[in-house]
Amino acid sequence: MNAQEIEPGLFIRGLTPPLRLSDFKLVAFDMDSTLINIECVDEIAAAAGRKAEVSAITEAAMRGEITDYKDSLRRRVALLKGVPLTALEAVYADHLELNPGVEAFVQACQSAGLKTLLVSGGFTFFSDRVRQRLGLDFARSNVLEVEDGHLTGRMVDRPWGDIVDGAEKRRVVLEVCELMGISPEQAIAVGDGANDLPMMSVAGLSIGYHGKPAVREEAMLSIEAGGMDRALTVLR
């Protein structure tokens, strides 16, 4: 189905706006390049002098050219071995910003009674801070292993599994819906990369925010210019 441009840089596919935000009960967000302006793994790699190498893998994974996301993330994290935690603090303090319109959109969702979920292939070092900053209800992401104040180049296995990839994002969204006693049709999923497509495919409304081509082709609402609050043009 072809997308319809309803405003410059704002496209809908299979939607008849306006939709009522209050008809939804959950909104799930990707973090890197969605809620925030950076890919954290790339910025950490800069501290190791390996940003170009890591960024190339990240970009290929987000475009869907690398189909094994877990392997791609392990490869990138391995290149971070030896980076001090102080470098992560500097990335958060000096480089990480919320994307335009994020606070307004999250607050609108919260005001309408939606629960908020951050589900990210990124790292708890950043997602815990972003969750607190935005007052989000739930979060799941990956844990970097640290020894003596430095990254080991590995991630820590969690009780639920090893790595948040596209399949885990989908599973978390479905699990939270079940725990809330709601249908996935009452969930909104927001993302930008290929690993967000599985959760976007099960949600009642999928929103692509400055998405990669694969996301722009699938999202019911695609924001390709401006801030995330432009979704409120469709959601009232």
Side-chain angles (χ1 to χ4, degrees), residues 10-226:
L10 189 66
F11 297 82
I12 59 172
R13 179 180 282 100
L15 294 179
T16 304
L19 305 177
R20 290 199 310 175
L21 193 53
S22 58
D23 286 342
F24 297 92
K25 304 299 181 187
L26 172 70
V27 57
F29 296 98
D30 170 51
M31 181 175 70
D32 293 38
S33 298
T34 300
L35 287 178
I36 64 175
N37 62 320
I38 59 173
E39 292 286 336
C40 293
V41 67
D42 296 355
E43 298 305 320
I44 300 168
R50 312 192 81 159
K51 183 172 183 178
E53 191 175 354
V54 169
S55 295
I57 301 173
T58 299
E59 184 66 19
M62 291 302 98
R63 287 196 304 262
E65 294 166 6
I66 297 176
T67 55
D68 189 338
Y69 179 84
K70 288 186 178 184
D71 178 65
S72 81
L73 187 59
R74 288 190 186 100
R75 285 164 53 197
R76 285 176 281 166
V77 169
L79 294 170
L80 307 181
K81 183 177 180 179
V83 172
L85 272 182
T86 52
L88 277 68
E89 294 281 4
V91 168
Y92 182 78
D94 300 337
H95 299 287
L96 188 150
E97 297 176 3
L98 297 175
N99 271 326
V102 162
E103 287 179 290
F105 182 63
V106 169
Q107 288 168 5
C109 291
Q110 292 166 334
S111 296
L114 280 73
K115 293 294 186 182
T116 48
L117 166 66
L118 185 163
V119 58
S120 170
F123 309 116
T124 53
F125 183 92
F126 301 101
S127 63
D128 288 350
R129 289 163 171 77
V130 171
R131 176 188 180 182
Q132 184 174 21
R133 192 163 162 181
L134 288 169
L136 306 179
D137 295 297
F138 314 111
R140 172 158 294 174
S141 56
N142 301 307
V143 181
L144 291 167
E145 186 179 67
V146 178
E147 290 180 0
D148 299 323
H150 293 76
L151 302 184
T152 66
R154 297 184 297 270
M155 287 169 285
V156 180
D157 285 354
R158 309 297 294 151
W160 46 263
D162 54 356
I163 289 173
V164 178
D165 61 355
E168 178 65 12
K169 289 189 178 197
R170 176 183 183 274
R171 196 192 69 77
V172 171
V173 169
L174 292 174
E175 181 181 34
V176 173
C177 285
E178 183 171 9
L179 291 171
M180 290 179 61
I182 65 172
S183 161
E185 285 292 314
Q186 294 172 285
I188 301 169
V190 188
D192 74 298
N195 64 325
D196 297 315
L197 290 173
M199 72 170 179
M200 294 171 75
S201 72
V202 297
L205 174 63
S206 57
I207 301 176
Y209 180 71
H210 293 258
K212 302 298 186 290
V215 170
R216 293 200 299 268
E217 290 168 10
E218 298 292 334
M220 298 175 191
L221 172 61
S222 184
I223 302 167
E224 299 177 18

